[in-house]
Amino acid sequence: MSNQDSTILWTSEEIANAVKGQCGADFNITGVQIDSRAIEPGDLFIAIKAERDGHDFAKSALNHGAGGVLISDNEVIGSSQNYVLCDDTMLALESLGAAARRRALITKRIAITGSVGKTTVKELTSAALSASGKTHKSVKSYNNHWGVPLTLSRMPINTRYGVFEIGMNHTGEIALLSPQVKPHIAAITTVAPVHIEHFGTIEAIADAKAEIFLGIENGGYALIPNENPMSKRLKQRASDIDNLNIVTFGMKQNADAKITRLIDNGDYRIIHADIMGKNIEWRVSEPGDHWIHNGLCAITLVHLAGGDLEAAASVLSNFGALEGRGAVKTITTKDGVEFSLVDEAYNANPTSVAAALRTLANRHGRRKIAVLGDMLELGDKENEYHAELIDAVLKSNVDLVFLAGSRMKYLWDLLPANKRGNFAYNSKELLPRVLESVQSGDCIMVKGSNGSHMNVIVAGLANLKNDSLKN
């Protein structure tokens, strides 16, 4: 049975060949899942053994419309023959991803990592490349040991560009993932003290990020942030690899891809850039210099991948912030109070919080209010990192600061009385204190590490559109 229908992602025979398994029957697959709760009709369910054994949910996945299952024990699914039997389902997922990579012969693959901005750059790059050809990308932040091979396994055979996000919080993780993607181009957005708890030094973080170069195809490109303090170290790591081309991007004129002019028109900025000798311009409507940096990285990746720069610039000019990463909503309550909510609740570290505070200062609003939760995985100096945010808070000239978490208490103790909104040891306790402070015309930015659950406050503020404020 061969895959002739463009809507078919895999046939059972192709899956069995890829994973060196055995088919129970002939069937076709239109998608791949490892979470039985996300099954859509026609999906392949791969029963991964992790904290919970996916085999416990294989029969349920079939009952909910899965086209077939990839399992190491066919007794768990009863009488169904829609299975491929293998020895190790995690290894099989990786093998299926490798098969997808090999069969999409015209694909240019791009891998992106970095301490800050990798998801945004991934979204910018994939959107910009979509104007040049069929583009496949990591969904959400599927960037770990299962997310990368899962993204690969979902890549259609006629993909022109593949854009993959690769993350890590320990040494050696990217070294295992980059060779799975075998990117033609790999980019590091930036290096900052994120997950420093597991590394000890910023140099160790840079070395871990540089592992992405290990998987680059012969003659490929390493894209490095020119002005980052670790730039020289990253270049050295890249230069240790034979036949690897090093390209830099940044604001200074010695970068290979650089900003040549910036025009601020108030509501938006026009960016003029020289991308390795090609002049291009695009518009940035979002505040914050990180949007310029991330856009420059993305459009350089488009150029290196052979995409249409003019079409890419047009896409970037109409790109907005992502949910959890700067998306802005206007909330109007039943009693007519209107305010802006800036959702930065997906993640946080000292670099990104300082950037978010700078951006908040440039947003429209009668009062600028920052609601911050703990930054996690910062190691022995975590309390110091939180206290040092006082400089960014004072420079941003925000009107009020609300803080959640035991680590943020170190910042709270340093805040001037006129900046203090309120403090609580968790986001749930802080929520009502934030809600009762809201006034019409406010601009409220919420940010914290995912584990500090600042999404609780985002949801509470967003739900005010259905309620009246009880001031």
Side-chain angles (χ1 to χ4, degrees):
M1 184 170 57
S2 63
N3 183 353
Q4 300 294 327
D5 189 339
S6 62
T7 64
I8 297 173
L9 183 63
W10 295 101
T11 67
S12 55
E13 182 181 1
E14 289 168 341
I15 296 167
N17 288 338
V19 306
K20 293 181 172 54
Q22 296 178 331
C23 295
D26 288 344
F27 56 89
N28 297 326
I29 290 302
T30 55
V32 183
Q33 290 287 356
I34 62 172
D35 184 346
S36 63
R37 296 166 298 182
I39 287 292
E40 295 184 2
D43 280 347
L44 172 71
F45 174 67
I46 303 180
I48 301 295
K49 293 182 178 181
E51 293 180 5
R52 302 186 70 177
D53 188 347
H55 289 81
D56 295 340
F57 307 98
K59 189 173 183 179
S60 173
L62 287 168
N63 291 338
H64 284 85
V69 293
L70 181 54
I71 50 179
S72 59
D73 178 4
N74 63 344
E75 293 184 3
V76 299
I77 58 171
S79 60
S80 175
Q81 296 298 301
N82 279 19
Y83 65 81
V84 173
L85 189 65
C86 65
D87 292 331
D88 183 321
T89 51
M90 186 64 216
L91 183 61
L93 171 60
E94 295 174 357
S95 296
L96 192 62
R101 185 195 69 231
R102 287 193 295 266
R103 71 179 184 172
L105 296 178
I106 64 169
T107 301
K108 279 291 182 73
R109 294 179 301 276
I110 297 169
I112 300 166
T113 194
S115 300
V116 182
K118 56 184 174 291
T119 300
T120 298
V121 171
K122 178 257 297 182
E123 293 292 337
L124 285 166
T125 304
S126 58
L129 280 170
S130 293
S132 295
K134 185 175 178 62
T135 301
H136 178 70
K137 67 174 182 177
S138 306
V139 299
K140 300 179 182 178
S141 292
Y142 282 13
N143 60 25
N144 63 3
H145 66 286
W146 57 260
V148 171
L150 179 60
T151 301
L152 276 165
S153 72
R154 292 170 168 176
M155 186 166 63
I157 195 169
N158 60 341
T159 298
R160 180 68 184 86
Y161 304 101
V163 185
F164 300 86
E165 179 179 338
I166 299 183
M168 61 90 187
N169 54 26
H170 289 87
T171 298
E173 289 178 316
I174 292 179
L176 296 175
L177 296 176
S178 181
Q180 292 185 39
V181 175
K182 289 189 180 295
H184 300 91
I185 311 152
I188 297 177
T189 60
T190 190
V191 177
V194 181
H195 306 304
I196 199 166
E197 174 184 18
H198 305 300
F199 295 95
T201 67
I202 193 72
E203 289 80 8
I205 293 175
D207 291 345
K209 295 296 182 187
E211 291 172 9
I212 199 169
F213 304 147
L214 297 175
I216 297 178
E217 291 274 23
N218 185 47
Y221 294 89
L223 184 59
I224 292 171
N226 189 58
E227 283 89 60
N228 188 272
M230 292 293 107
S231 177
K232 184 177 180 180
R233 192 178 189 92
L234 295 175
K235 291 175 188 175
Q236 182 60 55
R237 293 301 184 202
S239 67
D240 289 340
I241 299 173
D242 293 339
N243 203 24
L244 181 59
N245 300 291
I246 300 173
V247 178
T248 59
F249 71 101
M251 303 295 289
K252 293 183 178 179
Q253 294 308 295
N254 64 335
D256 299 307
K258 48 190 170 285
I259 304 299
T260 55
R261 189 182 180 197
L262 192 157
I263 302 171
D264 192 338
N265 285 333
D267 291 337
Y268 62 91
R269 291 167 289 176
I270 298 176
I271 313 302
H272 292 259
D274 176 347
I275 309 300
M276 303 176 69
K278 295 183 179 294
N279 295 318
I280 197 72
E281 67 178 75
W282 69 95
R283 186 179 64 220
V284 173
S285 298
E286 298 291 338
D289 290 345
H290 57 289
W291 280 99
I292 301 172
H293 175 91
N294 291 340
L296 179 63
C297 182
I299 206 162
T300 306
L301 287 170
V302 170
H303 173 66
L304 293 174
D308 185 326
L309 276 184
E310 293 290 345
S314 178
V315 172
L316 294 189
S317 294
N318 294 285
F319 195 93
L322 307 173
E323 184 176 346
R325 294 179 170 86
V328 181
K329 298 177 182 177
T330 300
I331 309 296
T332 303
T333 69
K334 283 186 176 180
D335 48 12
V337 173
E338 185 175 285
F339 65 95
S340 298
L341 170 60
V342 184
D343 179 7
E344 290 267 11
Y346 183 78
N347 218 334
N349 56 69
T351 301
S352 66
V353 172
L357 287 166
R358 288 194 301 270
T359 302
L360 178 60
N362 294 320
R363 294 187 185 275
H364 298 297
R366 189 174 63 83
R367 296 189 307 170
K368 315 291 179 62
I369 298 174
V371 185
L372 307 176
D374 280 349
M375 304 179 294
L376 305 180
E377 298 185 9
L378 295 180
D380 294 340
K381 295 176 65 177
E382 64 178 8
N383 297 334
E384 183 180 334
Y385 282 122
H386 284 78
E388 288 174 350
L389 287 176
I390 187 63
D391 291 335
V393 168
L394 296 179
K395 287 178 181 177
S396 69
N397 201 31
V398 295
D399 295 284
L400 285 176
V401 180
F402 290 79
L403 300 173
S406 58
R407 298 164 183 83
M408 278 296 175
K409 183 66 165 57
Y410 289 86
L411 174 58
W412 177 258
D413 291 341
L414 297 176
L415 283 177
N418 66 332
K419 301 287 185 185
R420 290 186 169 189
N422 219 309
F423 170 81
Y425 280 98
N426 60 65
S427 58
K428 187 176 180 180
E429 291 178 8
L430 186 64
L431 176 58
R433 305 174 195 182
V434 174
L435 295 181
E436 67 186 12
S437 74
V438 177
Q439 297 178 12
S440 200
D442 285 347
C443 182
I444 305 172
M445 183 271 289
V446 183
K447 189 167 183 65
S449 285
N450 203 31
S452 62
H453 305 296
M454 298 305 285
N455 59 322
V456 170
I457 292 178
V458 170
L461 287 166
N463 285 337
L464 283 177
K465 65 183 178 182
N466 300 315
D467 296 311
S468 295
L469 286 169
K470 299 172 178 62
N471 288 347

